Amino acid sequence: MDHELTLRVDGTTRRVLVDPRTSLLDALRQRLGNTSPKKGCDHGQCGACTVLVDGTRVLSCLTLAVTRDGADVVTADGLAGLPDASAGEHPVHRAFVAEDGFQCGFCTPGQVCSAVGMLDELDRGRPSAVTGDLTGTPELDDAEIAERMSGNLCRCGAYPGIRAAVARVAHEREGA
């Protein structure tokens, strides 16, 4: 028996009927036609399906859609609508282009959403597995970026550009 749920996806409220076993990824892609999050491994190992749900990054392939009824879902396409975006682009989008943080682009939407989520986690002072001082504010060095982005795989090996893009945005935010 299908369930009707309401999701706010990239700023637009959408109603969708889903089987209770439907993942958020499949609801977004197959039911709502939003192809920004990618289906990579479908086991939560590659991060290509990463989206922001109520401001927190989640693997949409491991999330049952029915558990997110009423949630605010932001995909890489929807980041341009967030308050810190301008001229139709989010700062992380611009940094990925400037730092050549993509190659084939398949993983890029998940990488971009994960970068936005991890920067917000950093702003809230949440430590990672490599944070040295758990009582202070984590410093965003290369090891922190690599650890915080470790759930997203890039088969092209664009990691240096991705880490540089995240560092660029972090430094821009510090200067703002």
Side-chain angles (χ1 to χ4, degrees):
M1 176 178 207
D2 286 347
H3 290 265
E4 181 175 300
L5 57 121
T6 302
L7 298 170
R8 183 169 168 82
V9 180
D10 296 338
T12 301
T13 300
R14 308 283 302 270
R15 290 185 183 275
V16 61
L17 284 174
V18 296
D19 180 289
R21 299 167 292 180
T22 303
S23 70
L24 179 59
L25 175 63
D26 288 341
L28 290 169
R29 290 184 59 86
Q30 296 172 357
R31 300 296 175 108
L32 298 176
N34 185 322
T35 57
S36 180
K38 302 297 185 248
K39 184 175 266 197
C41 67
D42 214 19
H43 290 87
Q45 297 172 338
C46 73
C49 66
T50 303
V51 297
L52 300 172
V53 176
D54 296 329
T56 300
R57 56 184 170 163
V58 301
L59 297 169
S60 61
C61 74
L62 296 182
T63 304
L64 291 174
V66 295
T67 67
R68 300 306 174 145
D69 189 18
D72 185 35
V73 179
V74 177
T75 70
D77 286 348
L79 291 172
L82 295 181
D84 49 355
S86 64
E89 290 181 316
H90 189 276
V92 174
H93 288 141
R94 286 191 297 276
F96 266 64
V97 172
E99 298 293 343
D100 198 22
F102 58 90
Q103 287 184 8
C104 80
F106 186 82
C107 73
T108 305
Q111 298 272 7
V112 168
C113 282
S114 189
V116 171
M118 68 82 88
L119 287 167
D120 288 343
E121 291 164 10
L122 185 75
D123 288 347
R124 292 191 307 257
R126 292 181 60 187
S128 77
V130 298
T131 301
D133 179 8
L134 298 179
T135 61
T137 302
E139 184 176 327
L140 192 61
D141 57 17
D142 198 54
E144 277 284 346
I145 295 170
E147 171 59 23
R148 291 175 185 268
M149 295 294 294
S150 65
N152 292 78
L153 302 178
C154 171
R155 291 186 175 138
C156 301
Y159 296 116
I162 292 168
R163 287 195 301 269
V166 172
R168 175 187 281 251
V169 173
H171 292 262
E172 288 173 356
R173 291 164 66 161
E174 289 172 0

